[in-house]
Amino acid sequence: MKTPDEIKLKPCPFCGGKVSLVLCDDEGNLHDEAYREHPYSGLGFMLHHAHEENPECPIASYECDGGILGRVYIYDTEEQATEAWNRRAENG
């Protein structure tokens, strides 16, 4: 397992903004790092591209009531989330 400093996410292909990896449970509720030690409701990872930081981006999402609103997929591992985000279609 990589540390958060070792995980490198490419910038958003639409706006160039920052994307972060967040810890969640199986229902998509956000948790802090302490939850990783005792994940009572499953452990997952989501990609978060905050609308507040990227207001003009068409794929940015909102954080609300301990979760993220918008196009959300929960990945089983940090590596799966990173691989999915960093994948880009070949040009030409």
Side-chain angles (χ1 to χ4, degrees), residues 8-20:
K8 302 293 183 209
L9 295 168
K10 291 182 179 180
C12 174
F14 293 96
C15 73
K18 181 181 176 188
V19 175
S20 59

Side-chain angles (χ1 to χ4, degrees), residues 13-32:
F14 293 96
C15 73
K18 181 181 176 188
V19 175
S20 59
L21 195 57
V22 294
L23 190 73
C24 66
D25 59 30
D26 287 344
E27 291 80 38
N29 300 305
L30 302 180
H31 292 279
D32 61 18

Side-chain angles (χ1 to χ4, degrees), residues 53 66 72 80:
E53 297 169 11
V72 176
Q80 287 175 343

Side-chain angles (χ1 to χ4, degrees), residues 1-87:
M1 176 173 46
K2 293 183 177 182
T3 66
D5 291 335
E6 294 175 322
I7 296 172
K8 302 293 183 209
L9 295 168
K10 291 182 179 180
C12 174
F14 293 96
C15 73
K18 181 181 176 188
V19 175
S20 59
L21 195 57
V22 294
L23 190 73
C24 66
D25 59 30
D26 287 344
E27 291 80 38
N29 300 305
L30 302 180
H31 292 279
D32 61 18
E33 280 296 316
Y35 180 78
R36 189 186 295 264
E37 299 299 319
H38 302 288
Y40 54 84
S41 187
L43 181 63
F45 301 90
M46 293 189 294
L47 295 157
H48 187 217
H49 182 50
H51 181 269
E52 297 79 7
E53 297 169 11
N54 307 284
E56 301 299 319
C57 186
I59 67 166
S61 57
Y62 295 91
E63 189 172 326
C64 177
D65 296 327
I68 297 174
L69 300 177
R71 302 158 206 91
V72 176
Y73 186 84
I74 300 171
Y75 297 91
D76 292 330
T77 67
E78 294 156 304
E79 290 80 12
Q80 287 175 343
T82 301
E83 182 180 317
W85 177 259
N86 287 342
R87 185 179 320 124

